[in-house]
Amino acid sequence: GNDLAGGSALMNLIIKNLYGIRYFNEMDSPMHFVSSLKRKFAEIRGARHLFPYLAQHNGEEFKRWIAMHAPLLSAGDDVYGIRSASATLFGKRPDELSDAEQAVLAAAYHRGVRFQPLSADEKPELREARLRRWEKLIQKAKKGVENAYRLKNPEKMASILAGLDRMKTPQMPKVPVSLSRILASLPFGERQQYGNLKQRADLLVSSLKPRIIQKLTQEDALLSANEVITDINISLPVGVNYEFKERLNKTFAQIRRDCPSCYNKALGLPVNDESNGALVRVVVTDEKGGIVRYYRRGFPQRRPIASISKIAAAVLLASVGIKGNERFCNKAFAGRKNASGAEQKGVAQCDTPKIKGHSYSFIETIAQSKNLPLYHVLLNNKPFSSENVLQLYKAFGLNDSKTLKGEKPRLNQLAFELAFGLAEASPAQVHNIMQTLTQQLYAPVYNSAPHVVQSLRISEFKEGMQRAVVRKKYLKYPSQLKGIKAYLANDEVKQVLKRVLASPVNNDNGTLHRFKRIRGAKFLIAKSGTSETPYGITRDKWATGSFRLQGKIYTFSILVGTDDLENGLGSHVTHNRVMYPIMREIVASLRR
């Protein structure tokens, strides 16, 4: 009809989409006429090859292509595919649409339509323009319905037209129920971004997208030529996690207000921000390893893990029969000291263990993060060799300085780096360690690494079939730290470790004893750590562990720090000031 004059044929549109945006940008060049001819010839050449391919299997290939690629312009960005457009426009899957809704979607696909919802807080002229755009789309849909059904099925035509007459102009983007409450308070411009599926993913799970894409790429490589991934199920509840992130941002602002002179880096702000933000990574997983809360600022890489390394040392000591009350000498070591307590620099002789500060029990050593007693016992009380301590590093995925340089490590160096927190690992590996220990000690039926993608829906298209055969694939994530299990040989070792690894919370002098105030959570394992810059300023604050809440077990890891070794994170940055409020928000979010 006349209303379509000047529009490209469908095959031309497909070729243009294949060429991409640069294809259209050439229209603004000085040689517009020549470039226009070149484009037309490209479309003709492409159509000669593309049409026979898409016509295969009685048009099934064409149906698949158009379902995946035809765009609907929405919310400032293109939404591709029937599934995405259906969700953006109506908040439904394609197979849930009414006949009238299908007609609107078909009209939108028939010719590019820029869909933007209405809002009461817009300027009147914009509202009127969007209202006219919607009415025009409805009229196109009606014309298509009349052309399709006037002669063949007038009753169905009347029914669909009545449905179109009842349809109201959308007032705001269609979003899942879990997001509607969050978005209701946002300005229209921000709400509109969440109505676009692509932008919604960027806004809600941007920090996890690399992990999701990596897993999808791996799984896609396993598919046959006739299969395609149509859905993914992730463990993260994005609406609830959005609220969690907002609460954490408010918490970080309050932390800084409470002690503005403590921090050289602003918590909760981008690392490259003018305010020079801190690196932050907060991860919570359920007992099966699914990520249920996630917050990240910046990209913290492998680094010294401070006293978190004492977890590996504790496992080694328990595995050789050391009990929780066995005492270790607070032996002096040149140039080193404990972070706090009596006799910080240690004692010259080990013949007065009953005097305060001259020795510490296994539990006290871990609970209060004592460096000197741990170093002493690793070197003297048991016949450990460099080989078996190095094996411990490998089992836990830790790195020592000598091996990283390609040199052979010695026992005193390996023991020193464990005791004084110089062993290195990535934040993800720290969480991996805690997930494995928690599962081995408290949830032995599971043996899975932390993950976010839980299952996939895969559609298999067979020749001549109108519908695809759909199957669901549940993904498995076996733990990569199988070597840890070898140190947990019997129940006696496990019971000792349960007491020792819970002591930073349960012990009144423990570094995380304040966690006991958090309502509803029973901490099973907990360990904190603080690393310093070469100038003696706090660089990183760590906390990791697991807890039981409302009958469920969760594992957590927290890192707040910086890669700026000159200025560091700040001074007087205590666990009570940082880790306690973060942990309180984690538990509160899971309890809601």
Side-chain angles (χ1 to χ4, degrees):
N2 293 332
D3 62 323
L4 297 180
S8 296
L10 189 56
M11 198 58 60
N12 299 95
L13 291 173
I14 292 175
I15 298 297
K16 290 176 181 178
N17 280 327
L18 289 174
Y19 274 93
I21 190 66
R22 285 178 297 177
Y23 182 86
F24 297 98
N25 289 343
E26 290 181 4
M27 294 177 65
D28 298 325
S29 68
M31 299 293 290
H32 171 64
F33 176 74
V34 175
S35 62
S36 178
L37 285 176
K38 288 172 63 179
R39 289 199 309 275
K40 290 301 178 185
F41 279 118
E43 291 168 21
I44 293 170
R45 288 197 306 270
R48 288 181 59 192
H49 296 287
L50 186 62
F51 185 83
Y53 168 76
L54 294 178
Q56 292 183 92
H57 307 146
N58 196 29
E60 290 296 320
E61 291 294 335
F62 171 72
K63 293 176 184 177
R64 285 180 59 189
W65 198 96
I66 204 69
M68 292 166 62
H69 293 280
L72 172 72
L73 298 177
S74 169
D77 199 1
D78 286 1
V79 176
Y80 283 93
I82 289 176
R83 173 74 181 278
S84 298
S86 175
T88 300
L89 202 56
F90 300 110
K92 297 180 180 180
R93 293 170 59 98
D95 54 1
E96 298 171 336
L97 296 175
S98 68
D99 288 337
E101 290 167 337
Q102 291 183 52
V104 171
L105 197 60
Y109 270 72
H110 184 57
R111 192 178 186 189
V113 172
R114 184 172 178 80
F115 167 71
Q116 290 178 303
L118 292 171
S119 175
D121 55 2
E122 279 192 289
K123 295 180 180 179
E125 59 271 22
L126 292 178
R127 181 178 175 82
E128 287 300 317
R130 292 179 179 182
L131 184 60
R132 288 195 300 271
R133 187 179 295 125
W134 176 255
E135 289 299 325
K136 188 175 181 179
L137 182 59
I138 293 294
Q139 292 306 314
K140 284 186 179 182
K142 286 183 175 180
K143 184 176 289 188
V145 170
E146 290 171 355
N147 290 339
Y149 293 107
R150 180 187 295 110
L151 299 178
K152 294 182 178 180
N153 194 337
E155 291 183 0
K156 185 167 186 177
M157 180 190 74
S159 174
I160 299 175
L161 291 177
L164 288 169
D165 286 333
R166 290 192 297 268
M167 291 182 70
K168 297 180 180 180
T169 311
Q171 296 299 304
M172 68 172 290
K174 296 293 183 180
V175 296
V177 175
S178 61
L179 288 178
S180 58
R181 179 168 54 86
I182 300 169
L183 303 187
S185 60
L186 295 179
F188 175 72
E190 293 185 40
R191 289 205 309 269
Q192 190 173 343
Q193 295 180 67
Y194 287 89
N196 181 295
L197 292 181
K198 179 177 179 296
Q199 292 186 28
R200 188 190 306 169
D202 289 337
L203 290 163
L204 294 175
V205 293
S206 58
S207 54
L208 279 171
K209 276 181 69 177
R211 297 181 67 163
I212 295 173
I213 292 171
Q214 179 186 35
K215 191 59 183 176
L216 288 179
T217 303
Q218 293 171 351
E219 292 296 324
D220 186 67
L222 302 176
L223 299 180
S224 70
N226 295 324
E227 293 179 318
V228 64
I229 297 171
T230 57
D231 295 80
I232 64 170
N233 177 36
I234 64 174
S235 57
L236 185 74
V238 292
V240 177
N241 197 66
Y242 176 93
E243 292 183 288
F244 171 65
K245 288 162 59 175
E246 290 298 299
R247 296 273 302 184
L248 270 189
N249 285 332
K250 292 179 181 178
T251 297
F252 290 144
Q254 185 61 51
I255 290 172
R256 190 171 178 85
R257 284 195 296 268
D258 290 343
C259 188
S261 61
C262 292
Y263 301 93
N264 297 328
K265 306 295 175 184
L267 309 186
L269 291 177
V271 176
N272 58 355
D273 191 90
E274 291 181 1
S275 57
N276 208 0
L279 293 171
V280 180
R281 187 179 186 275
V282 180
V283 183
V284 184
T285 51
D286 60 23
E287 58 190 17
K288 296 180 182 179
I291 295 174
V292 294
R293 297 292 183 275
Y294 193 87
Y295 182 105
R296 177 175 61 75
R297 290 287 190 183
F299 297 89
Q301 303 298 315
R302 190 190 73 212
R303 60 218 299 116
I305 60 174
S307 289
I308 303 298
S309 61
K310 291 183 174 66
I311 293 172
V315 171
L316 178 63
L317 296 176
S319 71
V320 296
I322 294 181
K323 303 297 187 290
N325 294 326
E326 190 164 334
R327 302 195 73 80
F328 307 150
C329 176
N330 189 31
K331 186 75 167 60
F333 178 67
R336 296 292 174 173
K337 64 179 182 178
N338 297 318
S340 61
E343 300 290 353
Q344 279 185 266
K345 294 184 179 181
V347 295
Q349 302 296 327
C350 294
D351 51 3
T352 54
K354 294 184 179 181
I355 298 177
K356 184 178 180 180
H358 285 218
S359 71
Y360 292 93
S361 70
F362 186 6
I363 287 178
E364 291 170 336
T365 299
I366 300 302
Q368 301 172 37
S369 204
K370 300 299 182 185
N371 306 326
L372 297 174
L374 184 59
Y375 182 56
H376 177 74
V377 72
L378 288 173
L379 284 183
N380 298 286
N381 282 32
K382 291 289 176 180
F384 298 128
S385 65
S386 59
E387 286 75 17
N388 59 35
V389 177
L390 185 59
Q391 187 61 41
L392 179 78
Y393 272 74
K394 292 179 179 178
F396 279 78
L398 303 180
N399 298 276
D400 70 278
S401 58
K402 291 291 185 182
T403 302
L404 287 172
K405 295 176 183 177
E407 302 174 8
K408 186 175 181 179
R410 296 183 177 180
L411 174 60
N412 61 342
Q413 171 245 324
L414 292 169
F416 174 78
E417 293 188 12
L418 275 184
F420 287 87
L422 300 179
E424 295 188 7
S426 68
Q429 185 68 358
V430 168
H431 194 101
N432 222 348
I433 292 169
M434 193 51 58
Q435 185 77 37
T436 301
L437 275 176
T438 298
Q439 289 176 337
Q440 290 294 326
L441 295 176
Y442 291 97
V445 295
Y446 303 113
N447 185 36
S448 57
H451 59 273
V452 64
V453 182
Q454 293 187 307
S455 63
L456 308 171
R457 280 171 62 92
I458 299 172
S459 295
E460 181 182 4
F461 294 88
K462 296 185 178 179
E463 184 175 347
M465 289 188 62
Q466 295 295 321
R467 292 185 175 225
V469 178
V470 180
R471 62 186 174 91
K472 194 166 186 177
K473 180 178 181 180
Y474 294 92
L475 305 182
K476 296 181 179 179
Y477 298 86
S479 174
Q480 301 172 346
L481 301 178
K482 298 177 182 178
I484 290 179
K485 188 176 181 179
Y487 294 92
L488 311 174
N490 53 59
D491 286 339
E492 187 176 2
V493 171
K494 292 180 180 180
Q495 291 304 319
V496 170
L497 277 175
K498 286 180 179 181
R499 287 183 61 205
V500 170
L501 296 181
S503 61
V505 171
N506 294 337
N507 190 295
D508 289 339
N509 294 319
T511 55
L512 297 174
H513 70 277
R514 200 178 178 192
F515 279 16
K516 286 188 291 187
R517 301 182 185 180
I518 299 175
R519 182 169 59 88
K522 170 66 176 176
F523 285 87
L524 308 174
I525 304 175
K527 191 75 189 79
S528 65
T530 301
S531 66
E532 294 184 343
T533 71
Y535 303 97
I537 304 169
T538 296
R539 175 190 179 181
D540 294 333
K541 301 294 288 189
W542 295 84
T544 186
S546 55
F547 58 92
R548 196 187 304 273
L549 177 69
Q550 297 174 340
K552 299 178 181 179
I553 295 176
Y554 299 96
T555 299
F556 68 91
S557 61
I558 306 169
L559 167 66
V560 178
T562 180
D563 286 334
D564 181 354
L565 300 184
E566 183 174 346
N567 298 299
L569 180 64
S571 302
H572 309 294
V573 183
T574 66
H575 293 303
N576 282 345
R577 284 190 175 128
V578 178
M579 293 306 166
Y580 174 71
I582 295 176
M583 196 69 239
R584 185 179 56 203
E585 289 302 330
I586 289 174
V587 174
S589 176
L590 293 168
R591 197 170 52 226
R592 290 190 182 98

